[in-house]
Amino acid sequence: MKYGKNKYFWNEYIFEGYVNYEDDMIMLAGFPDIPLSMPHSEESQKKRGEL
C-alpha cells in the first residue's frame, strides 16, 4: 500500500472513501481498487443516478 498507481492515488482514495470524522479519526469506506465500494467515487455516483 506504500505506492499507488500515480502520485495522487491515496489522496483520491481518502477523498472518495470519506464517510465521517471524529476528533481523533477520519472514517473511510470501500476499497481503493473497487470504485463501486467507495461512496463518493464517480462510478458509485453514476450507479445511484447522481451524475
Side-chain angles (χ1 to χ4, degrees), residues 3-24:
Y3 302 106
K5 298 175 185 176
N6 59 50
K7 71 179 192 175
Y8 301 111
F9 184 78
W10 293 112
N11 291 335
E12 290 174 8
Y13 170 62
I14 292 170
F15 180 77
E16 293 178 358
Y18 174 81
V19 176
N20 204 350
Y21 74 96
E22 291 185 11
D23 291 339
D24 58 345

Side-chain angles (χ1 to χ4, degrees), residues 2 29 42-43 45 50:
K2 186 173 182 180
E42 190 173 320
E43 291 86 354
Q45 289 177 346
E50 296 176 1

Side-chain angles (χ1 to χ4, degrees), residues 21-39:
Y21 74 96
E22 291 185 11
D23 291 339
D24 58 345
M25 76 173 143
I26 297 172
M27 293 175 240
L28 303 173
F31 299 99
D33 58 342
I34 305 173
L36 282 174
S37 70
M38 295 183 291

